[in-house]
Amino acid sequence: MADRTPAPAYQATKGSPLDVDKDFYTKIGSSTSRKLTESFELPIRSGKAFSVPRGYVCRISTPYGPQVGDLNLWARDNPRERFWASRTRQLHRSHVTTFDRLWSCLPYLRPMCTIVSDTLAGYHDNFGGRVHDLLGTRCDPYVNQLLSGKAFDFHCHSNLTRAILPFGLVESDVHDVLNVFQVTGLNSDGQYYMEPCPATSQDYFEFFAEIDLLCALSTCPGGDLSAWGWGKDSGSDDMLACCRPLVVEVFKLTDSTLLEGWESPKPAAYSGVHGLQMPVLWSNGNQVLSPKLRYHTGSISDREMTRVLLTGGSGFIAVHILEALLAQGHSVVTTVRSETKAQMLRDTFPEYGEDKLGFSIVADIAEHGAFDEAVKSDPPFEWVIHTASPFHFNITDTKKDLLDPAIIGTTGILKAIQNNAPSVKRVVITSSFAAVFSAKIGNRPGYIYSEKDWNPITEEEAIQDPPSGYRASKTFAEKAAWEFVEKEKPNFTLSTINPPMVFGPIHPKLQTLDSLNTSNQRIRDMMLGKLQDEIPPAGIYIWVDVRDLALAHIRAAERPAAAGQRFFVTAGYYSNRELADDIRDQLPDVASKISTKGGEFPEGGYFEYDNSRTKDVLGINFRSLKEMVKDTIPTLQAIGA
């Protein structure tokens, strides 16, 4: 029989996601128009987790000589979506290199990143082995003890586990890896083998993030694998001598033309019905699906997802919560004030049908009984996330326009849940740093604000002016919620979220330049050249990205440890001067229209903050101010800024 090379089972047809634009990725890999945004050295036998925003490039290098690294990837805002090594191996090859992509698991199945540079491309040993391995997986302490009878805590599985704990992930989130710089193959008997790492001090491996990524990297305890062998003591001096640090660098591409026409890939389009036929019921001679069955006509992989009621779904914060809930596979009903608002949300999320995205009209949340019908659902709700409350100063009557909607709306929905929705187990309410901070006391240099603090504002002070009214509305509403839970002892738990200034991308179909949230108006005004004379002070000098805030709401509902807790959700300090500087970096054409005077931190100092509960319990990894500005500007440009 003539020798032949079998054809690959998965082939790249023209125009498919496997048929990558090599010119595009070659330009990214070779571009020197880069700005370093993060860099660290990873010590031997350790692990570290880090973020790579979509559109950025990550380089892993071996400046100290040969060393293997084990790499895990997750979608940053949805860790259920994670790297799928075996499918990547089928779609590309057993060892990946330039232009290959690392793919996510079902039901998402999209490229998480694309390899753009590989100095070891084309390497192979005398037995057919290649580098950057997908045949094997991470070393772990379980198989080590199985084969050697000894415990060792610094295998890659353990290193990755320790690395991701600060991000709210656990051991079960660690998955099959890409073994970067590792040479492996199959011998003539089909057995897996490993050869020493060929990397030199000049070698590196780069990938382009197609989506927002959370990455974790471990320096293999076997180092360059020149002395490796299962069944031996993994802590031996021979192997320790083979270990070297790795270096990780994350770059922002500063040439805006490089990414023209590029879009972050969407999850796979398959509906997930899997051929199931749904039973039919009859009503007045008409054929209909049972509501319970309608709920399950989406992806079967999502059947364990939660039914959620989200109030105020067209609001700036709420729409990001909605987007994240839908992306994670949950089924959501959101309240809106009108059918017009509902249609705007349908147009914003056209890929989701009624089984995933439904609506309930609540015209006035300050009316008694406003939520009585909205909380009823078949299938029933398990979570309620309540965001509906005004945040603007365009008011004529503080009590009617601010206090009543916030207080009556909050207590009203809690009463409605207690009386009409016994299935609800978790309630999360959007409060504010305004319910924590005391404006009367001012900057309080040296004082540390945390969840223990409450704004001491009085009812008399509340009606003095709109800003006082807003701060009082958030304070009184949150206190009323906690008092309700304490007095009524309902079946559900309560968590509240207390953010300061909230910035971030908008959804252009839902907002205009005149209807922007108060925080984003600052970015708008700088982009439009309205601050040419002087930049005003920030007033409140702490902030959070709306996408991190949205994730905090969801994790407060997901995690049992969040029950009964307030969460002070802040990324840290910022000033309007820093905001202006970042906008100048992104928009050189408008730099001259933004003043260089003012906007600094107060001279006398400012209070401190403690956001450790948010980090420890919710596992939030906060975005930087620069990343927020980069992502927000295009969305404001889309509506005319």
Side-chain angles (χ1 to χ4, degrees), residues 6-7 40 74 114 164 178 190 195 241 245 275 288 327 378 383 385 439 445 494:
F40 61 88
W74 298 262
T114 301
I164 62 176
L178 170 63
E195 287 285 283
V288 296
D378 188 2
W383 303 347
I385 300 178
L494 176 66

Side-chain angles (χ1 to χ4, degrees), residues 488-602:
E488 299 295 332
K489 303 290 191 297
N491 291 329
F492 56 81
T493 64
L494 176 66
S495 303
T496 58
I497 308 295
N498 299 78
M501 302 299 289
V502 184
F503 296 98
I506 66 164
H507 288 75
K509 292 182 180 179
L510 296 174
Q511 291 188 281
T512 66
L513 287 179
D514 293 331
S515 67
L516 289 177
N517 64 298
T518 303
S519 302
N520 273 343
Q521 289 175 12
R522 300 182 182 188
I523 301 177
R524 174 202 66 189
D525 291 347
M526 292 180 188
M527 291 174 64
L528 294 177
K530 293 184 177 182
L531 300 179
Q532 297 188 44
D533 296 331
E534 186 173 3
I535 302 171
I540 297 296
Y541 294 86
I542 54 175
W543 76 288
V544 67
D545 188 298
V546 67
R547 294 164 293 182
D548 297 332
L549 180 60
L551 186 60
H553 282 79
I554 297 171
R555 289 189 175 170
E558 287 177 333
R559 300 189 174 186
Q565 302 268 24
R566 302 175 88 198
F567 290 96
F568 183 14
V569 182
T570 179
Y573 294 117
Y574 88 104
S575 69
N576 279 351
R577 170 65 67 87
E578 291 177 334
L579 200 61
D581 290 344
D582 288 341
I583 293 172
R584 288 192 197 93
D585 289 344
Q586 293 293 326
L587 298 174
D589 292 344
V590 304
S592 62
K593 300 178 182 179
I594 306 174
S595 174
T596 57
K597 297 187 298 182
E600 299 282 10
F601 289 102

Side-chain angles (χ1 to χ4, degrees), residues 361-437:
I361 307 298
V362 178
D364 184 358
I365 65 173
E367 286 188 0
H368 291 282
F371 292 103
D372 286 354
E373 294 302 317
V375 299
K376 298 176 183 177
S377 174
D378 188 2
F381 295 119
E382 298 175 51
W383 303 347
V384 173
I385 300 178
H386 178 56
T387 74
S389 187
F391 182 13
H392 61 83
F393 300 144
N394 301 319
I395 63 174
T396 57
D397 185 325
T398 299
K399 184 176 186 302
K400 178 182 177 182
D401 296 336
L402 285 176
L403 298 181
D404 287 351
I407 300 167
I408 298 174
T410 298
T411 56
I413 196 166
L414 297 179
K415 292 175 183 176
I417 296 167
Q418 184 181 38
N419 295 332
N420 301 292
S423 59
V424 172
K425 303 302 180 188
R426 305 300 301 274
V427 175
V428 179
I429 293 177
T430 308
S431 185
S432 171
F433 180 59
V436 175
F437 173 70

Side-chain angles (χ1 to χ4, degrees), residues 211-291:
I211 64 174
D212 288 329
L213 293 174
L214 174 64
C215 309
L217 182 67
S218 165
T219 41
C220 179
D224 62 17
L225 302 184
S226 60
W228 185 266
W230 285 110
K232 298 180 180 179
D233 181 5
S234 297
S236 71
D237 292 338
D238 288 343
M239 278 196 287
L240 191 61
C242 301
C243 293
R244 301 169 183 87
L246 292 171
V247 169
V248 174
E249 298 165 287
V250 180
F251 298 95
K252 173 188 174 182
L253 298 172
T254 55
D255 181 354
S256 60
T257 63
L258 286 174
L259 298 184
E260 287 181 356
W262 170 79
E263 292 183 357
S264 184
K266 296 184 180 298
Y270 177 62
S271 65
V273 176
H274 303 292
L276 292 181
Q277 299 297 315
M278 295 301 173
V280 172
L281 302 179
W282 293 85
S283 175
N284 296 324
N286 296 315
Q287 201 175 39
V288 296
L289 284 177
S290 157

